Amino acid sequence: MVAQSKLADVELSIEGMTCTSCASRIERRLSKLDGVSATVNYATEKAHVVIPKGITTEQIIAEIERTGYKASIPVPAVDLQESTELSRLKLRLIVGAVLTLPVLVIAMIPALQFDYWQWVSLVLTLPVVIWSGWPFHRATLINLRHRAVTMDTLITVGTGAALLWSVYALVFGSAGEIGMRHGFEFTLSPTSGGGNVYFEVAAAVTVFVLAGRYFEKRSKRTAGAALKALLNLGAKDVAILRDGIEHLVPIDALNVGDVFLVRPGEKVATDGVIVKGRSAIDQSMLTGESLPIEVAEGHHVTGATLNAGGSLEVRATKVGADTKLAQMAKLVEDAQTGKAQVQRLADRISSYFVPAVIVLALVTLGVWLLLGSSLELAMTAAVAVLIIACPCALGLATPTALLVGTGRGASMGILIKGPEVLESTRKVDTIVLDKTGTVTSGELRVSGTVALQGETESQVLSMAGALESKSEHPVAKAIVSSAKALGGILEVQDFQSTSGLGVSGTVSGTKVIVGRASYLEQAGIRISESIVTQMRDLESKGNTVVVVGWAGAARGLISVSDTIRPTSASAIAKLNALGLEAILLTGDNEATARSVAETVGIKTVIAEVLPEHKVQTIEQLQSQGRVVAMVGDGVNDAAALARADLGLAMGSGTDVAIESSDLTLVRADLFAAADAIRLSRRTLSTIKGNLFWAFAYNVAALPLAALGLLNPMIAGLAMAFSSVFVVSNSLRLRRFR
């Protein structure tokens, strides 16, 4: 067969998926088309489709819709659409809860049962089961078309059986008579269900499971926010220079070859090359490098980085989708699409449980009829099997544990995004740590002052601080901050700044120079070999060193560094105690990374790594069979956080890193990473326990139902008790320390 040439990669938004089996079903359907390959992500509700020549996007959308789902090309208003969908689900939940409450209370408290209460319950229950529960019934119909069963099938069967049998009991049985009351005797003997109604069962199951679906949907709403946050980092407007005249235009109007102006403190509008000016560019958000880099004519700059020094004129070399920022957005998107999604436990169990229950109900009906029982008695037993098999506690199993666990986590500075996150925490054996802003504070501070020529450290810092107070350079700000701690800042005259080299001026009548050693030597100040040796020693420990001189001699050295967080060393020890191997992964230089790693107790260091190589490093570790957690805070970490089995973002970091992660550490404290993993594992364990007991109570009652020994009181108590147990078990997470 002749290979077809690829026409395009198409991104589509998918609506209507209720579980990962839906995503798999769409993939299989599209893969049957000649030359089409598709990847569908249930978590982000997106499909990435490679379309060959001869097939249009409209055909792909039509094929998805024939499968039973809605597909569309994403538009900028997608966030609004997602919010509208969530609002509709919330409305169904609120209406259902308001109507269910009186039904439940009246059914469970005989003293409140008035004449015709059962008919009022019918009126209140119908909109709950039919309208509020419509998302489940719709999913059931779609699944039936494909001969599949999920938890939606179980919900539809259980609530439908309870509602239909109750209507039968009202119309054809004795349950519709005036003065009917629920029989709450505890006798275990076969009884006809013609005098009982199960409206509270149908309504409560619908509301409980709908609540679970709502909380799950809410946690997924921001799945695409990483890309939006990443792209929002770029400049919105740009000052283009044409014939020497400045024109402020939207960023979309910038073309390759245009020369634009970047003032101090502004973001670089797009990728380009400097044609005029010198400055320091802070690109930590992209590379992880803690110190700004010095740039001049001929140097390349990247869009969205920050100009921390003088004014620049830049010629645009890349715009739009070709920029480094856009390429990083694509990295995050690919990493999210490629992440394996965890099959929901409830769906896995129900794929076996639902058919078994339906078969058991049919067998129960047949056996009772063969034994010579009346049709009503046989139907009562069969319907009881379907009703008791629909566990209302299942609707609470995941969301209650998740809500309590996330609530406890929030009070500890830990945000868990959703139930899919928790599976990977159980098997994590390697934790990769970014350096800047994660192990370190991400803020430059004076780490030491060396006095020379008989001067004092305070004098050296005071003179340097006075000069640097006139500069906007990040290193200068660190020196000024330390100088202020000694007292007031001295006055400066004749201030001059040479971008990338240093500053000079007159302080208290003395000509002072602060900057690189070469800058001082140009001014006639000799730098001795002993001073050079001291500088190299400080720089080998990851410091940036400036020389301070006046009166013809070097008077001191000031070292500036990104300080290590006070809790980092103990946090690493705690992670090791959890059986995790810590690896330092950073875009910073080797010497700085090694120094930091030795201080905090990390043995493995991977330094000078570009953002795309961070992703490759994560993938390489995973190919070795490791389950990898990643902790980071910058834009450069976003794709790696999304690719890792478990992504943990420092809350002090960028929105992109936070949105790309699975867990967010609100406290700027690496110690929270160990607590996050422990809490996640505990929450997952609680969810599994809840799911087990949600089914166990009902499974245990199935034989009683099949034997016709259940009455409304026992059924109601079994369901209530399983729900109370699940909630109580979840509340134990509040005691997590």
Side-chain angles (χ1 to χ4, degrees):
M1 189 177 82
V2 179
Q4 292 174 296
S5 59
K6 185 176 75 173
L7 176 64
D9 290 342
V10 177
E11 190 83 11
L12 298 174
S13 294
I14 308 293
E15 293 182 34
M17 294 190 295
T18 59
C19 61
T20 51
S21 62
C22 297
S24 299
R25 189 172 299 123
I26 296 172
E27 286 182 0
R28 289 195 300 270
R29 181 73 177 244
L30 293 180
S31 297
K32 291 179 181 178
L33 298 176
D34 191 21
V36 173
S37 64
T39 302
V40 181
N41 191 322
Y42 166 64
T44 59
E45 298 181 337
K46 293 285 181 66
H48 179 77
V49 188
V50 178
I51 302 177
K53 189 175 182 179
I55 295 181
T56 65
T57 303
E58 288 72 21
Q59 286 177 284
I60 297 295
I61 292 175
E63 194 68 24
I64 293 173
E65 291 182 345
R66 278 194 289 271
T67 312
Y69 306 92
K70 292 182 179 179
S72 61
I73 297 174
V75 293
V78 68
D79 291 336
L80 176 61
Q81 291 175 354
E82 290 177 351
S83 296
T84 301
E85 184 181 356
L86 191 68
S87 297
R88 289 172 180 168
L89 196 60
K90 184 178 181 180
L91 179 62
R92 290 182 191 274
L93 175 60
I94 292 174
V95 171
V98 169
L99 295 177
T100 297
L101 184 60
V103 174
L104 198 58
V105 171
I106 294 172
M108 301 305 292
I109 304 176
L112 298 179
Q113 293 172 6
F114 51 88
D115 290 346
Y116 298 111
W117 69 271
Q118 65 273 43
W119 293 96
V120 173
S121 294
L122 170 63
V123 172
L124 295 175
T125 301
L126 281 173
V128 175
V129 174
I130 297 173
W131 183 76
S132 293
W134 173 244
F136 309 125
H137 310 323
R138 180 180 179 276
T140 296
L141 293 174
I142 292 173
N143 289 323
L144 286 177
R145 284 175 52 191
H146 300 281
R147 296 184 295 277
V149 291
T150 64
M151 186 50 57
D152 295 306
T153 311
L154 185 60
I155 295 164
T156 297
V157 170
T159 57
L163 178 63
L164 293 175
W165 183 254
S166 297
V167 171
Y168 169 84
L170 284 180
V171 177
F172 300 104
S174 59
E177 297 176 356
I178 301 175
M180 189 280 280
R181 300 291 184 266
H182 256 168
F184 283 95
E185 67 276 3
F186 286 90
T187 56
L188 291 178
S189 59
T191 56
S192 168
N196 301 320
V197 290
Y198 297 85
F199 293 125
E200 76 282 2
V201 174
V205 168
T206 300
V207 170
F208 282 141
V209 183
L210 189 62
R213 186 66 54 85
Y214 168 74
F215 290 121
E216 179 189 36
K217 189 74 176 177
R218 191 174 67 172
S219 71
K220 286 167 50 183
R221 183 177 54 173
T222 58
L227 300 179
K228 182 181 177 183
L230 186 56
L231 295 173
N232 281 342
L233 284 174
K236 303 298 183 294
D237 299 303
V238 57
I240 297 179
L241 294 176
R242 290 174 180 158
D243 300 324
I245 301 175
E246 181 181 331
H247 300 274
L248 189 65
V249 299
I251 190 66
D252 293 339
L254 184 64
N255 298 311
V256 173
D258 286 339
V259 176
F260 59 93
L261 182 66
V262 187
R263 296 186 176 85
E266 291 183 345
K267 292 178 181 178
V268 178
T270 193
D271 296 359
V273 61
I274 298 173
V275 296
K276 184 179 180 180
R278 298 177 65 93
S279 184
I281 296 292
D282 179 359
Q283 53 181 19
S284 59
M285 65 175 60
L286 290 175
T287 67
E289 179 70 45
S290 55
L291 294 172
I293 60 169
E294 305 293 340
V295 293
E297 291 181 18
H299 286 147
H300 289 272
V301 290
T302 304
T305 55
L306 186 67
N307 181 12
S311 293
L312 296 172
E313 291 182 16
V314 181
R315 178 177 288 109
T317 56
K318 293 180 180 179
V319 296
D322 296 327
T323 64
K324 191 168 185 177
L325 183 66
Q327 290 169 358
M328 290 184 68
K330 187 71 170 75
L331 271 177
V332 174
E333 183 178 20
D334 291 344
Q336 286 186 337
T337 301
K339 179 182 285 188
Q341 298 301 311
V342 180
Q343 177 83 12
R344 287 192 300 179
L345 290 174
D347 275 330
R348 275 205 296 249
I349 298 171
S350 65
S351 64
Y352 300 100
F353 186 70
V354 176
V357 167
I358 294 174
V359 170
L360 179 60
L362 292 174
V363 169
T364 299
L365 176 64
V367 169
W368 277 103
L369 290 175
L370 288 174
L371 292 176
S373 300
S374 65
L375 177 61
E376 189 172 270
L377 183 60
M379 285 294 296
T380 299
V383 171
V385 169
L386 294 176
I387 292 173
I388 200 63
C390 190
C392 64
L394 192 65
L396 298 172
T398 296
T400 53
L402 193 63
L403 287 175
V404 177
T406 53
R408 179 61 187 136
S411 67
M412 298 172 63
I414 301 163
L415 299 181
I416 303 172
K417 287 201 172 176
E420 297 90 350
V421 172
L422 306 176
E423 278 283 355
S424 54
T425 63
R426 182 166 47 92
K427 297 180 181 179
V428 167
D429 53 29
T430 303
I431 185 162
V432 176
L433 307 170
D434 174 51
K435 181 186 75 67
T436 306
T438 302
V439 177
T440 65
S441 65
E443 297 177 1
L444 295 179
R445 295 181 184 176
V446 171
S447 56
T449 305
V450 178
L452 306 170
Q453 304 290 335
E455 300 292 345
T456 63
E457 292 182 4
S458 60
Q459 179 71 1
V460 171
L461 198 57
S462 179
M463 297 293 267
L467 266 187
E468 297 288 22
S469 66
K470 300 295 183 180
S471 173
E472 293 298 320
H473 197 285
V475 171
K477 292 179 180 179
I479 293 173
V480 171
S481 178
S482 291
K484 284 181 177 179
L486 298 175
I489 298 295
L490 300 173
E491 290 293 325
V492 180
Q493 280 122 22
D494 304 322
F495 175 79
Q496 288 185 337
S497 174
T498 304
S499 183
L501 294 175
V503 295
S504 63
T506 303
V507 181
S508 300
T510 302
K511 180 67 180 266
V512 181
I513 302 176
V514 180
R516 296 185 176 185
S518 59
Y519 183 56
L520 272 73
E521 287 183 324
Q522 289 175 14
I525 295 177
R526 180 176 174 274
I527 306 297
S528 67
E529 282 299 321
S530 63
I531 294 177
V532 172
T533 300
Q534 291 183 76
M535 290 178 63
R536 287 175 179 169
D537 181 56
L538 290 169
E539 288 172 345
S540 69
K541 297 176 181 177
N543 295 293
T544 295
V545 181
V546 297
V547 186
V548 184
W550 66 81
R555 302 291 174 172
L557 304 175
I558 299 176
S559 58
V560 176
S561 66
D562 183 6
T563 56
I564 296 173
R565 295 186 188 275
T567 58
S568 289
S570 58
I572 299 300
K574 191 169 185 180
L575 290 169
N576 290 336
L578 285 172
L580 306 178
E581 179 187 352
I583 297 175
L584 189 66
L585 180 67
T586 177
D588 218 335
N589 65 74
E590 184 82 20
T592 301
R594 291 282 175 193
S595 175
V596 170
E598 289 174 7
T599 303
V600 300
I602 297 177
K603 296 179 181 179
T604 306
V605 177
I606 305 173
E608 300 178 13
V609 181
L610 296 174
E612 54 267 31
H613 294 154
K614 286 192 174 185
V615 176
Q616 292 172 9
T617 302
I618 297 295
E619 291 174 338
Q620 184 177 3
L621 290 169
Q622 290 170 330
S623 69
Q624 297 170 4
R626 301 193 188 195
V627 181
V628 182
M630 168 79 185
V631 186
D633 76 320
V635 174
N636 59 304
D637 302 317
L641 286 168
R643 176 64 70 189
D645 297 289
L646 180 69
L648 298 93
M650 304 291 281
S652 58
T654 63
D655 289 342
V656 184
I658 292 171
E659 294 296 347
S660 298
S661 68
D662 302 308
L663 292 163
T664 299
L665 310 178
V666 179
R667 304 197 314 265
D669 184 355
L670 187 58
F671 206 86
D675 289 333
I677 291 174
R678 288 177 51 243
L679 176 61
S680 296
R681 288 175 175 176
R682 181 77 61 82
T683 305
L684 176 64
S685 176
T686 301
I687 289 175
K688 287 185 173 182
N690 285 350
L691 289 172
F692 171 78
W693 287 110
F695 277 106
Y697 282 113
N698 299 85
V699 170
L702 280 175
L704 296 177
L707 294 172
L709 301 178
L710 284 184
N711 60 50
M713 177 59 182
I714 296 176
L717 283 179
M719 298 187 74
F721 186 61
S722 61
S723 299
V724 169
F725 180 88
V726 163
V727 173
S728 301
N729 192 42
S730 299
L731 290 175
R732 292 169 57 231
L733 287 169
R734 296 171 62 182
R735 300 198 295 270
F736 178 85
R737 295 288 183 269

